[in-house]
Amino acid sequence: MRNALGLMLASVVSAVVIAAVWFWTSSPRADAAPQTVAARKAEPLPAPAAAKPKVDVEVTASISKPAVPTPPPAPVAAKSVCANPDALGVSRTVIIDTTGGPGFGFLQYKQFDFLADKEVVLTFDDGPWPTTPTVLKTLADECTKAVFFPIGKHTTYHPEILKQVFAAGHTIGSHTWSHAHLDSKKMTEAQAKEEIEKGFSAVKMAIGAAPAPFFRFPALAHTQATKDYLGGRNIAMFSCDIDSNDFKSSSPDQVIQNVMTKLDKQGKGVILMHDLQKHTAIALPTLLRRLKAGGYKVVQMKAREQLETLPEYDAMLVKDLKVPAVASRPIGSVVQTVQD
Ligand SMILES: [Zn+2]
């Protein structure tokens, strides 16, 4: 009886204990379960949330370093430049191996017929000049690219403008130091060499990077000796197929007319223009629209390797200019406002 009673009591106690345990465990669980689920769901959230600020902190910390400036420029610039869905654009880019000094432009060099029907190459001589930014804006609006042949002296007058040409991704060659005609009888071999080399050194000094080994003779006036020299330096020579004759044109309309008439007849080619000509800068938006409407496509020419300028001409240029370098110091370090 006692045993039975004890057994009963024990059963009751254990039942109560079990019930209590169940109640204790299940009821908190009932409360905890959604909390736990919520907490578990919430847990992964705080984790990345906690990780994100970490990343942000890292990015923020590196804002002053090159990390932030480096990624945006290339893709952002390319995307923002190509906002025009009807742009003329660039249909293809060709890389030129300039070994031995190949010639382009069938007016003088009938070597490499690389353009297909309706393909053109846009080229601009004689800059950089205050008219050049207008040309750059038009090219950017049409998401297209050109080859520039600047005059060395002009690059020393307007290095910032040539920097804009470079920053916009155009190809930059050279058009001599002072636009001297290299076929002149008075021109010695040493002078011709200096015209060529100092022109390239001036471009390098202005943009802070090696220029493309692309060269155009002023007035397209070449000699066998200068062509041989360029060949030995592995510099490509550019003539043209379509001369805009813009320096002789009396109006922007005439520039457009000159180009389109020749182009519609020849069907393709390297177009020669001058970014220093006001008529050309004004004509360009309409001209590029006409090219687009006529089904013409722009080919961008780039060099496989950039030109190594000759140190003696770099030095000669620095000496001539009597300054350490055109833009080696930021303006703020030279000129400081102390009182407004
Ligand atoms: Zn010229």
Side-chain angles (χ1 to χ4, degrees), residues 140-177:
D141 288 346
E142 290 287 347
C143 312
T144 197
K145 300 281 191 247
V147 184
F148 285 78
F149 295 97
I151 294 171
K153 275 188 179 176
H154 290 184
T155 73
T156 64
Y157 305 157
H158 305 290
E160 281 73 22
I161 295 176
L162 197 67
K163 279 196 181 85
Q164 289 175 36
V165 177
F166 184 61
H170 301 291
T171 302
I172 305 179
S174 173
H175 194 44
T176 70
W177 164 246

Short mmCIF file of all heavy atoms in Angstrom, two decimals, residues 140-177:
data_model
loop_
_atom_site.label_atom_id
_atom_site.label_comp_id
_atom_site.label_asym_id
_atom_site.label_seq_id
_atom_site.Cartn_x
_atom_site.Cartn_y
_atom_site.Cartn_z
N ALA A 140 32.49 64.37 -78.81
CA ALA A 140 31.92 63.70 -77.63
C ALA A 140 30.41 63.53 -77.79
O ALA A 140 29.87 62.47 -77.47
CB ALA A 140 32.24 64.49 -76.37
N ASP A 141 29.74 64.56 -78.30
CA ASP A 141 28.28 64.46 -78.52
C ASP A 141 27.94 63.33 -79.48
O ASP A 141 26.88 62.72 -79.38
CB ASP A 141 27.74 65.78 -79.10
CG ASP A 141 27.73 66.90 -78.06
OD1 ASP A 141 27.88 66.60 -76.86
OD2 ASP A 141 27.57 68.08 -78.46
N GLU A 142 28.85 63.07 -80.42
CA GLU A 142 28.62 62.02 -81.41
C GLU A 142 29.33 60.72 -81.02
O GLU A 142 29.39 59.78 -81.82
CB GLU A 142 29.11 62.47 -82.79
CG GLU A 142 28.25 63.57 -83.42
CD GLU A 142 26.90 63.06 -83.91
OE1 GLU A 142 26.71 61.83 -84.00
OE2 GLU A 142 26.02 63.90 -84.20
N CYS A 143 29.88 60.67 -79.82
CA CYS A 143 30.55 59.46 -79.29
C CYS A 143 31.57 58.92 -80.28
O CYS A 143 31.69 57.71 -80.46
CB CYS A 143 29.55 58.36 -78.98
SG CYS A 143 28.15 58.92 -78.04
N THR A 144 32.30 59.81 -80.89
CA THR A 144 33.24 59.34 -81.89
C THR A 144 34.67 59.79 -81.58
O THR A 144 34.88 60.62 -80.69
CB THR A 144 32.78 59.77 -83.30
OG1 THR A 144 33.48 58.99 -84.27
CG2 THR A 144 33.02 61.24 -83.58
N LYS A 145 35.63 59.22 -82.28
CA LYS A 145 37.04 59.48 -81.97
C LYS A 145 37.81 59.88 -83.24
O LYS A 145 37.47 59.46 -84.35
CB LYS A 145 37.69 58.22 -81.38
CG LYS A 145 37.05 57.75 -80.09
CD LYS A 145 37.51 58.57 -78.89
CE LYS A 145 37.08 57.93 -77.59
NZ LYS A 145 36.09 58.71 -76.85
N ALA A 146 38.88 60.65 -83.00
CA ALA A 146 39.68 61.15 -84.11
C ALA A 146 41.17 61.01 -83.81
O ALA A 146 41.56 60.63 -82.71
CB ALA A 146 39.33 62.62 -84.35
N VAL A 147 41.98 61.34 -84.82
CA VAL A 147 43.43 61.42 -84.63
C VAL A 147 43.81 62.89 -84.73
O VAL A 147 43.39 63.57 -85.67
CB VAL A 147 44.20 60.62 -85.71
CG1 VAL A 147 45.70 60.64 -85.42
CG2 VAL A 147 43.69 59.19 -85.80
N PHE A 148 44.57 63.38 -83.75
CA PHE A 148 45.01 64.77 -83.74
C PHE A 148 46.50 64.85 -84.03
O PHE A 148 47.29 64.07 -83.47
CB PHE A 148 44.70 65.42 -82.38
CG PHE A 148 43.23 65.74 -82.19
CD1 PHE A 148 42.32 64.74 -81.86
CD2 PHE A 148 42.76 67.03 -82.34
CE1 PHE A 148 40.97 65.01 -81.71
CE2 PHE A 148 41.40 67.33 -82.17
CZ PHE A 148 40.51 66.32 -81.86
N PHE A 149 46.86 65.82 -84.86
CA PHE A 149 48.27 66.08 -85.18
C PHE A 149 48.60 67.50 -84.76
O PHE A 149 48.50 68.44 -85.56
CB PHE A 149 48.52 65.88 -86.69
CG PHE A 149 48.33 64.45 -87.15
CD1 PHE A 149 47.12 64.04 -87.71
CD2 PHE A 149 49.35 63.52 -87.00
CE1 PHE A 149 46.94 62.73 -88.12
CE2 PHE A 149 49.17 62.20 -87.41
CZ PHE A 149 47.96 61.80 -87.98
N PRO A 150 48.97 67.69 -83.50
CA PRO A 150 49.22 69.05 -82.99
C PRO A 150 50.59 69.59 -83.41
O PRO A 150 51.53 68.83 -83.68
CB PRO A 150 49.15 68.88 -81.48
CG PRO A 150 49.38 67.44 -81.21
CD PRO A 150 49.08 66.66 -82.46
N ILE A 151 50.67 70.91 -83.42
CA ILE A 151 51.94 71.59 -83.67
C ILE A 151 52.62 71.76 -82.31
O ILE A 151 51.99 72.21 -81.34
CB ILE A 151 51.69 72.97 -84.32
CG1 ILE A 151 51.09 72.79 -85.73
CG2 ILE A 151 52.98 73.78 -84.40
CD1 ILE A 151 50.60 74.09 -86.36
N GLY A 152 53.91 71.43 -82.25
CA GLY A 152 54.64 71.50 -80.98
C GLY A 152 54.51 72.84 -80.27
O GLY A 152 54.18 72.88 -79.08
N LYS A 153 54.75 73.92 -81.00
CA LYS A 153 54.67 75.25 -80.38
C LYS A 153 53.28 75.50 -79.79
O LYS A 153 53.15 76.07 -78.70
CB LYS A 153 54.98 76.33 -81.41
CG LYS A 153 56.47 76.61 -81.56
CD LYS A 153 56.70 77.81 -82.45
CE LYS A 153 58.20 78.09 -82.57
NZ LYS A 153 58.47 79.20 -83.51
N HIS A 154 52.25 75.08 -80.51
CA HIS A 154 50.88 75.30 -80.01
C HIS A 154 50.62 74.52 -78.73
O HIS A 154 49.86 74.97 -77.88
CB HIS A 154 49.87 74.92 -81.10
CG HIS A 154 49.85 75.87 -82.25
ND1 HIS A 154 48.97 75.77 -83.30
CD2 HIS A 154 50.62 76.96 -82.52
CE1 HIS A 154 49.20 76.74 -84.17
NE2 HIS A 154 50.20 77.48 -83.72
N THR A 155 51.25 73.37 -78.61
CA THR A 155 51.05 72.60 -77.38
C THR A 155 51.68 73.31 -76.18
O THR A 155 51.23 73.12 -75.05
CB THR A 155 51.62 71.16 -77.47
OG1 THR A 155 53.03 71.22 -77.42
CG2 THR A 155 51.18 70.46 -78.72
N THR A 156 52.71 74.12 -76.46
CA THR A 156 53.32 74.86 -75.34
C THR A 156 52.47 76.09 -74.99
O THR A 156 52.52 76.56 -73.87
CB THR A 156 54.77 75.31 -75.65
OG1 THR A 156 54.75 76.23 -76.75
CG2 THR A 156 55.65 74.13 -76.00
N TYR A 157 51.67 76.59 -75.96
CA TYR A 157 50.76 77.71 -75.66
C TYR A 157 49.53 77.21 -74.90
O TYR A 157 49.00 77.89 -74.03
CB TYR A 157 50.27 78.39 -76.95
CG TYR A 157 51.31 78.89 -77.91
CD1 TYR A 157 50.99 79.06 -79.26
CD2 TYR A 157 52.61 79.21 -77.50
CE1 TYR A 157 51.92 79.53 -80.17
CE2 TYR A 157 53.54 79.67 -78.41
CZ TYR A 157 53.21 79.82 -79.74
OH TYR A 157 54.12 80.27 -80.65
N HIS A 158 49.04 76.04 -75.32
CA HIS A 158 47.77 75.53 -74.77
C HIS A 158 47.89 74.08 -74.31
O HIS A 158 47.15 73.20 -74.81
CB HIS A 158 46.67 75.63 -75.84
CG HIS A 158 46.49 76.99 -76.42
ND1 HIS A 158 45.96 78.04 -75.69
CD2 HIS A 158 46.80 77.48 -77.64
CE1 HIS A 158 45.93 79.12 -76.46
NE2 HIS A 158 46.44 78.83 -77.64
N PRO A 159 48.79 73.81 -73.37
CA PRO A 159 48.92 72.41 -72.94
C PRO A 159 47.63 71.85 -72.34
O PRO A 159 47.33 70.67 -72.52
CB PRO A 159 50.05 72.46 -71.90
CG PRO A 159 50.14 73.88 -71.46
CD PRO A 159 49.70 74.71 -72.64
N GLU A 160 46.87 72.70 -71.65
CA GLU A 160 45.62 72.22 -71.03
C GLU A 160 44.63 71.73 -72.07
O GLU A 160 43.88 70.78 -71.83
CB GLU A 160 44.95 73.31 -70.18
CG GLU A 160 45.59 73.51 -68.81
CD GLU A 160 46.94 74.22 -68.89
OE1 GLU A 160 47.18 74.91 -69.90
OE2 GLU A 160 47.74 74.08 -67.97
N ILE A 161 44.63 72.39 -73.21
CA ILE A 161 43.69 71.98 -74.27
C ILE A 161 44.12 70.62 -74.84
O ILE A 161 43.28 69.75 -75.08
CB ILE A 161 43.58 73.06 -75.37
CG1 ILE A 161 42.96 74.33 -74.78
CG2 ILE A 161 42.75 72.56 -76.55
CD1 ILE A 161 42.88 75.51 -75.73
N LEU A 162 45.41 70.43 -75.00
CA LEU A 162 45.86 69.12 -75.51
C LEU A 162 45.58 68.02 -74.47
O LEU A 162 45.28 66.89 -74.84
CB LEU A 162 47.35 69.14 -75.88
CG LEU A 162 47.74 67.95 -76.78
CD1 LEU A 162 47.09 68.04 -78.15
CD2 LEU A 162 49.24 67.82 -76.92
N LYS A 163 45.65 68.40 -73.21
CA LYS A 163 45.31 67.43 -72.15
C LYS A 163 43.85 66.99 -72.29
O LYS A 163 43.52 65.84 -72.05
CB LYS A 163 45.53 68.06 -70.77
CG LYS A 163 46.97 68.04 -70.31
CD LYS A 163 47.02 68.33 -68.80
CE LYS A 163 48.44 68.36 -68.29
NZ LYS A 163 49.09 69.67 -68.44
N GLN A 164 42.99 67.95 -72.66
CA GLN A 164 41.57 67.60 -72.87
C GLN A 164 41.42 66.61 -74.02
O GLN A 164 40.60 65.70 -73.96
CB GLN A 164 40.75 68.85 -73.19
CG GLN A 164 40.56 69.80 -72.03
CD GLN A 164 39.83 71.08 -72.47
OE1 GLN A 164 38.95 71.06 -73.32
NE2 GLN A 164 40.22 72.21 -71.91
N VAL A 165 42.18 66.81 -75.07
CA VAL A 165 42.15 65.90 -76.23
C VAL A 165 42.55 64.50 -75.78
O VAL A 165 41.90 63.51 -76.10
CB VAL A 165 43.11 66.40 -77.35
CG1 VAL A 165 43.12 65.41 -78.52
CG2 VAL A 165 42.73 67.80 -77.83
N PHE A 166 43.61 64.46 -74.99
CA PHE A 166 44.13 63.19 -74.49
C PHE A 166 43.12 62.52 -73.56
O PHE A 166 42.84 61.32 -73.68
CB PHE A 166 45.45 63.46 -73.75
CG PHE A 166 46.15 62.22 -73.26
CD1 PHE A 166 46.58 61.24 -74.15
CD2 PHE A 166 46.39 62.03 -71.91
CE1 PHE A 166 47.24 60.10 -73.70
CE2 PHE A 166 47.04 60.89 -71.45
CZ PHE A 166 47.46 59.92 -72.35
N ALA A 167 42.55 63.31 -72.65
CA ALA A 167 41.59 62.77 -71.68
C ALA A 167 40.34 62.22 -72.37
O ALA A 167 39.71 61.29 -71.87
CB ALA A 167 41.20 63.84 -70.67
N ALA A 168 40.01 62.80 -73.51
CA ALA A 168 38.80 62.34 -74.23
C ALA A 168 39.06 61.04 -75.00
O ALA A 168 38.14 60.50 -75.62
CB ALA A 168 38.33 63.43 -75.18
N GLY A 169 40.30 60.56 -74.98
CA GLY A 169 40.59 59.26 -75.59
C GLY A 169 40.92 59.30 -77.07
O GLY A 169 40.88 58.27 -77.74
N HIS A 170 41.20 60.48 -77.60
CA HIS A 170 41.59 60.56 -79.00
C HIS A 170 43.07 60.17 -79.14
O HIS A 170 43.83 60.22 -78.18
CB HIS A 170 41.36 61.98 -79.54
CG HIS A 170 39.93 62.41 -79.42
ND1 HIS A 170 38.92 61.85 -80.18
CD2 HIS A 170 39.32 63.32 -78.60
CE1 HIS A 170 37.76 62.40 -79.83
NE2 HIS A 170 37.97 63.29 -78.88
N THR A 171 43.45 59.84 -80.36
CA THR A 171 44.84 59.49 -80.63
C THR A 171 45.60 60.78 -80.94
O THR A 171 45.11 61.63 -81.68
CB THR A 171 44.90 58.52 -81.84
OG1 THR A 171 44.11 57.38 -81.53
CG2 THR A 171 46.33 58.11 -82.14
N ILE A 172 46.79 60.91 -80.35
CA ILE A 172 47.57 62.13 -80.56
C ILE A 172 48.94 61.78 -81.13
O ILE A 172 49.73 61.09 -80.50
CB ILE A 172 47.75 62.93 -79.25
CG1 ILE A 172 46.37 63.23 -78.62
CG2 ILE A 172 48.50 64.24 -79.52
CD1 ILE A 172 46.44 64.00 -77.31
N GLY A 173 49.20 62.29 -82.33
CA GLY A 173 50.50 62.14 -82.98
C GLY A 173 51.22 63.47 -82.94
O GLY A 173 51.17 64.18 -81.93
N SER A 174 51.89 63.83 -84.06
CA SER A 174 52.57 65.13 -84.11
C SER A 174 52.60 65.67 -85.54
O SER A 174 52.50 64.93 -86.52
CB SER A 174 53.98 65.01 -83.56
OG SER A 174 54.68 66.23 -83.76
N HIS A 175 52.77 66.99 -85.63
CA HIS A 175 52.73 67.73 -86.90
C HIS A 175 53.90 68.71 -86.93
O HIS A 175 53.76 69.83 -87.39
CB HIS A 175 51.38 68.46 -86.96
CG HIS A 175 50.97 69.01 -88.29
ND1 HIS A 175 51.10 68.33 -89.47
CD2 HIS A 175 50.39 70.20 -88.61
CE1 HIS A 175 50.62 69.08 -90.45
NE2 HIS A 175 50.20 70.22 -89.97
N THR A 176 55.03 68.29 -86.41
CA THR A 176 56.30 69.05 -86.25
C THR A 176 56.24 70.05 -85.10
O THR A 176 55.20 70.28 -84.50
CB THR A 176 56.72 69.84 -87.52
OG1 THR A 176 55.83 70.93 -87.72
CG2 THR A 176 56.81 68.97 -88.74
N TRP A 177 57.40 70.64 -84.86
CA TRP A 177 57.54 71.63 -83.80
C TRP A 177 56.93 72.97 -84.19
O TRP A 177 56.14 73.54 -83.45
CB TRP A 177 59.03 71.79 -83.45
CG TRP A 177 59.36 73.02 -82.67
CD1 TRP A 177 60.11 74.08 -83.08
CD2 TRP A 177 58.94 73.32 -81.33
NE1 TRP A 177 60.19 75.03 -82.09
CE2 TRP A 177 59.47 74.58 -81.00
CE3 TRP A 177 58.16 72.65 -80.39
CZ2 TRP A 177 59.25 75.20 -79.77
CZ3 TRP A 177 57.94 73.26 -79.15
CH2 TRP A 177 58.49 74.51 -78.85
#
